[in-house]
Amino acid sequence: MVASVQTVAFSGIDVLPIEVQVQIASGLPAFTIVGLPDKAVGESRERVRGALHAMGLSLPPKRITVNLAPADVLKEGSHYDLPIALATLAAMGILPKEELKDCCVLGELGLDSTIRSVSGVLPAAIHASAKDIALICPATCGPEAAWAGGLDILAPNDLLQLINHFKGTQVLSAPQPKMAGNDNVAGPCLSDIRGQESAKRALEIAAAGGHNLLMMGPPGSGKSMLAQRLATILPPLSPREALEISMIHSLAGELPEGGIVRTRPYRDPHHSASLPALVGGGTRARPGEISLAHHGVLFLDELPEFARASLESLRQPLETGNAVIARVNAHATWPARFQLIAAMNPCRCGYLGDPGQECTKAPRCASDYQGKLSGPLLDRIDMHIEVPAVSLADLNAPKTGETSSVVATRVARARDVQHARYNGEYTNTSVPVARLETVAQLDAGARALVDQAAATMAMSARGYHRLLRVARTIADLDGAPEVISRAHLAEAFTYRPHKYLNT
C-alpha cells in the first residue's frame, strides 16, 4: 500500500514541490528513508516512531519505505517529520489518503507527538495558495501562514488533534494573521545628535534615494548614532516589500511571533562575521546578513576590520541586488537589495588630523588602514562623508535640530516623486543606467561643471553615474524633478570619494 503527501524544499528564496511517498510491504521490519535526505531528515523515523508511541500507536512489523521525490533534490531540515508521519498513517489506513493528497504539510514532531515550529512556513503557504491546495503547519506558525490569503490552513498543536480533525471528532479553527513588532515603541530620534549638520544632511539624501553611505571620523564623533537613526527617517514598507522581507526572515527562522515584518530591517553584524554569515550559505544554505537587510539597512561599523574576502563579496550584491550562493550541485539565490551604511576611523589609532591627539605614525598608519578597502568596493558606495569630532560647545547646547519625523516627511515626499517617475520599480540608486540618463538631465551650468571636473578628477563610468544618482536625489528633495542644476551637482560632488590622507 502506497500513500503520498505533498511538502516542499527550499532553494534560496524558491520553493520546490516535494512528494512524500510511503510504502508498507511484506518483509523484515525496517523503516528506510530514501531520496537524498540529510541527517535531520534521516532522523525523522525515530521522531515519527516516538510520536506514534506517545499516542498508543505502533508501526506495523513490516518493511516501511519513505521516498522523497524527486530523488535528486537534497532534502534538508526537520519540517519533513509531519508529512512522513501523515503519509505513514495514511498507508496504515488510519487517515484517509484522498484528503491528504491535496495538502502541503510542514512540521517537526516531538517525542510526545507535539508539532513544533519550523522555518519557511510563509513561502510554503504562498506556494500552496498558488497550487490551490490546503496547508498543514504547526499551531505556532499558523498566524504566519494566514498572511498568504485564500488558503485553507490547519494548524494543530499536536498530532492527535490533527487525527481527530480528519476523523471528524474535533474541528480545528483557522488561524488569524498576526503582526510582529510594536509600532508604539519609540525609536532613537535624529534630534538627539548635537552638531553634525552636514552629516545629517548627507543622511537625509541617502535615505531619500536609497544611497550607500560611508562615514569616516574619529572615535566618538557620532557615526554609529547617525546610522541607527537612518531607519527612523526611511519611508514605511509597501505591502510587497513587507511580504518579501517576511519570506526571507521566515526561511531564516526569525519570525518568532509568527507575524509579518512591518518595519525596515536594521542589521549591524560584528566585524568578526564570517563570509557565509554575511552573504549567506553554510552547510545548510541560509540567508546572510545582506539578505536579512533586504529593503532595509546594513550597517558595517569599523569597516576595514572586516575580512577582505567578506568585503569583496559585497561587490556583486551591491550591483545586482541578489546574493547568489554557488554550490557543486545547486545554486541558491537570495534577494539582497539593501542600503549599505559603513563607518570607519581615519587610521588605526583613530586620531589622524586631531591636533589634541595627533597620530604619531601618520601618514603610514592611515595609508595602511585605509588600504584594506579596495577601489572597486569604494566605487560602489555613492556617498562619502567626514564626520569630525563634536565640540563641547555643541554637546552642551540645547537641542535645536530637526526631529526624525520632520526629516522623514521630506524623505517620503522625495520617494513619492521617484515612485511616480519609475512606476514603483526603482529608487534613484537602483534605476538602470539607460533610464538614469533620461531622467538625470543636466542644465547648462551643471554640464559646464562636469566639463571642468573632467579635466581635474579621475572618475570611472560607474562613479559618474553614481554622481548623477545622488544629484538626482538632491534635486528631488529640492522639488526640481525636471532638470539637475549646477547647485545640485556641486553638492553631489562633495559626496564623491576623495583621498583622506592629510599629508
Side-chain angles (χ1 to χ4, degrees):
M1 181 180 293
V2 178
S4 63
V5 170
Q6 302 297 317
T7 186
V8 295
F10 302 106
S11 176
I13 199 68
D14 298 323
V15 178
L16 308 177
I18 301 295
E19 183 179 7
V20 178
Q21 301 172 331
V22 174
Q23 181 187 63
I24 300 179
S26 301
L28 293 176
F31 194 140
T32 307
I33 300 178
V34 298
L36 212 58
D38 72 346
K39 186 171 179 60
V41 181
E43 292 173 346
S44 291
R45 61 178 176 269
E46 302 303 330
R47 291 190 290 272
V48 170
R49 194 192 307 272
L52 295 181
H53 178 73
M55 296 187 300
L57 299 175
S58 61
L59 294 172
K62 294 185 178 182
R63 184 174 185 82
I64 302 173
T65 304
V66 179
N67 179 40
L68 307 177
D72 60 344
V73 176
L74 179 63
K75 319 302 187 307
E76 298 177 317
S78 60
H79 66 273
Y80 294 96
D81 291 2
L82 187 57
I84 290 174
L86 294 185
T88 302
L89 290 172
M92 293 167 57
I94 297 175
L95 291 179
K97 291 194 297 182
E98 293 303 320
E99 292 189 30
L100 289 173
K101 193 172 183 179
D102 293 328
C103 293
C104 180
V105 185
L106 295 91
E108 177 185 332
L109 286 176
L111 296 181
D112 56 354
S113 81
T114 57
I115 303 176
R116 300 174 179 271
S117 62
V118 292
S119 303
V121 171
L122 180 58
I126 295 174
H127 166 80
S129 180
K131 295 291 185 179
D132 195 24
I133 57 178
L135 179 75
I136 301 176
C137 66
T140 53
C141 300
E144 174 187 340
W147 283 103
L151 179 68
D152 293 331
I153 302 174
L154 296 178
N157 286 300
D158 53 52
L159 192 55
L160 184 59
Q161 284 186 356
L162 192 58
I163 294 175
N164 290 338
H165 176 84
F166 282 110
K167 293 290 186 180
T169 60
Q170 183 178 356
V171 177
L172 293 174
S173 58
Q176 298 300 314
K178 181 181 178 182
M179 286 286 190
N182 186 358
D183 287 341
N184 296 324
V185 177
C189 183
L190 204 59
S191 63
D192 297 336
I193 300 176
R194 311 295 176 88
Q196 305 294 14
E197 297 304 322
S198 61
K200 293 179 186 177
R201 168 65 175 173
L203 203 68
E204 179 181 344
I205 296 171
H211 302 289
N212 303 319
L213 173 66
L214 173 62
M215 299 179 286
M216 192 188 71
S221 58
K223 303 183 294 294
S224 298
M225 290 182 65
L226 286 163
Q228 291 167 2
R229 281 149 182 80
L230 176 63
T232 66
I233 62 176
L234 290 173
L237 289 170
S238 67
R240 178 182 60 82
E241 290 174 335
L243 188 61
E244 289 180 8
I245 296 171
S246 298
M247 289 174 64
I248 297 171
H249 283 243
S250 175
L251 289 167
E254 295 199 9
L255 284 180
E257 297 182 43
I260 195 169
V261 176
R262 52 180 175 176
T263 57
R264 293 191 181 273
Y266 177 83
R267 310 289 298 189
D268 54 346
H270 191 260
H271 59 257
S272 62
S274 64
L275 192 153
L278 195 62
V279 180
T283 305
R284 290 183 56 192
R286 286 172 52 89
E289 291 291 334
I290 63 174
S291 295
L292 294 172
H294 185 56
H295 291 314
V297 178
L298 177 69
F299 176 49
L300 300 184
D301 199 6
E302 307 296 344
L303 186 66
E305 299 296 339
F306 281 81
R308 179 69 176 257
S310 299
L311 291 180
E312 294 305 307
S313 67
L314 299 179
R315 287 160 55 176
Q316 286 84 358
L318 285 171
E319 287 291 317
T320 64
N322 290 304
V324 180
I325 309 302
R327 290 183 165 181
V328 173
N329 57 353
H331 285 68
T333 302
W334 304 95
R337 182 68 67 183
F338 59 94
Q339 186 172 358
L340 174 63
I341 306 297
M344 60 179 288
N345 296 328
C347 63
R348 182 169 295 280
C349 69
Y351 296 106
L352 180 71
D354 188 338
Q357 305 182 69
E358 183 58 58
C359 177
T360 59
K361 298 181 180 179
R364 179 69 179 272
C365 177
S367 61
D368 290 347
Y369 191 64
Q370 297 171 20
K372 294 181 178 182
L373 305 178
S374 68
L377 175 63
L378 293 174
D379 203 33
R380 285 168 167 82
I381 300 178
D382 303 356
M383 304 174 63
H384 297 236
I385 64 172
E386 293 188 32
V387 183
V390 183
S391 65
L392 288 178
D394 287 334
L395 289 176
N396 292 324
K399 290 184 180 181
T400 57
E402 294 178 318
T403 62
S404 293
S405 60
V406 173
V407 178
T409 301
R410 294 198 297 268
V411 169
R413 190 181 304 120
R415 285 287 184 106
D416 289 341
V417 171
Q418 297 168 57
H419 188 278
R421 179 189 296 136
Y422 306 127
N423 297 321
E425 297 181 22
Y426 311 106
T427 57
N428 286 333
T429 194
S430 61
V431 62
V433 172
R435 185 79 177 273
L436 175 68
E437 292 175 347
T438 63
V439 300
Q441 297 293 327
L442 305 177
D443 65 8
R447 193 163 296 281
L449 181 60
V450 169
D451 294 339
Q452 294 172 9
T456 58
M457 295 182 63
M459 188 182 302
S460 66
R462 181 188 293 114
Y464 173 67
H465 290 136
R466 294 199 177 278
L467 174 71
L468 291 183
R469 296 178 192 277
V470 176
R472 178 68 273 170
T473 299
I474 296 172
D476 290 340
L477 282 169
D478 200 32
E482 299 300 328
V483 295
I484 298 173
S485 70
R486 184 185 180 93
H488 301 145
L489 193 65
E491 183 177 2
F493 265 117
T494 65
Y495 302 124
R496 285 302 305 152
H498 54 282
K499 291 189 179 299
Y500 299 120
L501 302 182
N502 296 326
T503 56

